[in-house]
Amino acid sequence: MPSLSRRSAPRTSNAMLESLLSGTGISASQSSRSRRLRRWIPVVISLLVQVPITIVGVIWTGAYAEYGDAASVLPFSTVLELSSIGAGGIAAIALSLIGPLLLLWIRRYPGPLIAVISALAAADFLIGYSLLSPPYLALAFAIVIAISYGARTWTWVSMIVVWEATLLAALVVGIELDPHRVVPTTIGLLLVLGFAEANRRRREQFEKFHTAFASRREEELRAERTRIARELHDVLAHSLSQINVQAGVGLHLMHKQPEQAAEALASIKLSSKEALDEVRSLLGMLRSESVDAGEDDAPLVPEPDLSRLASLADSVRAQGIEVELTSEISEHTAPALQLALYRIVQESLTNVVRHASATSAIVSLAVEGDDYVVTITDNGVGIDADGHSAGRGLLGMRERAELLGGTLRVADAQPCGTVVTARIPHRSASA
């Protein structure tokens, strides 16, 4: 088995990585053509290296065997006419053809074929002592491909067993081994094996990176879906609960007190307009290409902050619930904190309107030590602390608090009602 004499690109953007890893923009025909190309390249290279050189070597070896040194001064055409190809030459040519052709199936049967190609290379090595033959290049390709496709044990066992059997067969047959050929061949095999192992590790690292990248991308998509669902829930649940209550009031007072029924309808109109504006703004941000194109069907409105708590409290008071609002938190705090606190208060008051059957609620925003603390207390019948009676509202509030490193607690109030307490640390909020 004669000896034979190939990291990651710089860090790129997520879009480029995604395109690289997922094959975005590459058609199925291009992918199939690439696979066929990778399949045939080792075969063609091995044939081009082994077959022509082997044929020439067999011819010149036959000429030297018949004419001695005189063959070196004869034209090649004359040598071709006078030389005879013996059984050894035919066997060498056959070996130079069979080995490369077997590479066509090496990816499907890497284990058995690496053993077969190793045996063919051993036969070529022994025949090569009487003929001029090139390195058995097909073996190098077979080693790299077999190890890359998971046939490590087959490859190492085949190399060790076949190489030792080759040396032993040479002694038995009586071939005088030349150290200048044995040593380079051994070193060449070790180098090819080392390269194959390095290539395998590189492939495994790339696959791990691909898996990690796909997992991270899926987590980001999952988090984004959760965020969108949470925003839509907070907007729609609050607004629709107001609309539902006001519609009931309007229907009840339509004939007895038409003035108050008109006020209820005006409140429904205002609540629905605010809800539509927020939903359209959220959808407009998701459909950024429409905004970039200058479309005005998705107006952007500012994200809710602490300055809107007063109007939020007024909207709940309009539904017959007394709301006491106090806040010690500056309206210049981080936007993420203001949005989280607003949504927590909004969802809590929505639960008060929908589930608590309460007549009053107290909303308090304060700074306690290193924490921002928001507390919402009502005097209603209470809700399930696990959040079952409030749907996914409490889950959304808890997620908002935890995203900023905080906590949310729901407990019974005394003597009746429910108290919701959210704590968010200064450090997490400012980060």
Side-chain angles (χ1 to χ4, degrees), residues 106 109-121 139 154-155 158-159 162:
I106 187 69
Y109 311 105
L113 285 185
I114 187 62
V116 172
I117 295 175
S118 299
L120 295 177
L139 178 62
W154 277 88
T155 303
S158 297
M159 291 301 100
V162 172

Side-chain angles (χ1 to χ4, degrees), residues 1-5 120-126 128 133-137 139-140 163 181-182 184-186 188-189 192:
M1 290 179 288
S3 63
L4 304 172
S5 316
L120 295 177
D124 182 80
F125 178 81
L126 295 175
S133 62
Y136 207 74
L137 191 59
L139 178 62
W163 184 231
R181 189 171 185 183
V182 173
T185 300
T186 305
L189 287 174
V192 172

